[in-house]
Structure formats: C-alpha cells, structure tokens
Amino acid sequence: MREANVSEEIARKHIRTTINDTWNKINHEFITQSPLLHPYVKYTVNTARVAHFIYKHGDGFGNQDRETRAQVLSKLIEPLKLN
C-alpha cells in the first residue's frame, strides 16, 4: 500500500489476484510435469497449500487466537482425540 500509494482495498485485490495467478501456475506445472518429477511437484504443491491455509485469515503465527487456530484444532488435534 505504501509503495504504490493505494488504498487497502486495491492492495488486497492485487494480493488476491497474485495468489490466484500463482495457484494457476502451480496447478499447470503439477498437471504437465513428467511422472518422474511428480513426487517433488506434489511436495511443492502441498507446501504452498499449507502456507495458503496458515495465512488465509491473516497471520496464523503471530495471531494464533483467530480463525487459523480453530482450523488447526479442528483438522489436526480434535480428530486425534476421538481415536
């Protein structure tokens, strides 16, 4: 926002567009790669998925009491308690 001197709304739209474009590139590479490279591409895709998940609702590390904490608990911790 400061570098481009734009509003928060425009900056957020730019970030969403960048994220969508990057996911399109990642998915294209995943589909078109040689089967020999598939495990490495899959690892990269999963790493990107985790980063997207953690930061989707803001900073999932710095502000853990928000949505990210609830999501992690519901996906990872609570299912383990049932077993």
Side-chain angles (χ1 to χ4, degrees), residues 1-72:
M1 286 178 12
R2 292 181 191 135
E3 289 177 14
N5 196 26
V6 296
S7 68
E8 182 177 348
E9 181 181 333
I10 292 172
R12 287 182 181 275
K13 183 177 180 183
H14 173 72
I15 293 298
R16 280 192 298 272
T17 300
T18 302
I19 290 170
N20 287 334
D21 292 346
T22 303
W23 272 115
N24 286 334
K25 290 176 186 176
I26 290 171
N27 288 329
H28 174 75
E29 290 300 319
F30 185 71
I31 291 168
T32 61
Q33 285 299 319
S34 160
L36 295 174
L37 295 176
H38 211 122
Y40 302 105
V41 176
K42 188 175 181 180
Y43 174 80
T44 303
V45 170
N46 285 336
T47 302
R49 291 169 84 189
V50 168
H52 189 197
F53 169 78
I54 289 174
Y55 291 104
K56 186 173 184 173
H57 298 287
D59 183 359
F61 289 112
N63 194 359
Q64 296 176 4
D65 62 334
R66 294 181 62 194
E67 182 71 22
T68 302
R69 180 178 172 86
Q71 290 288 331
V72 169

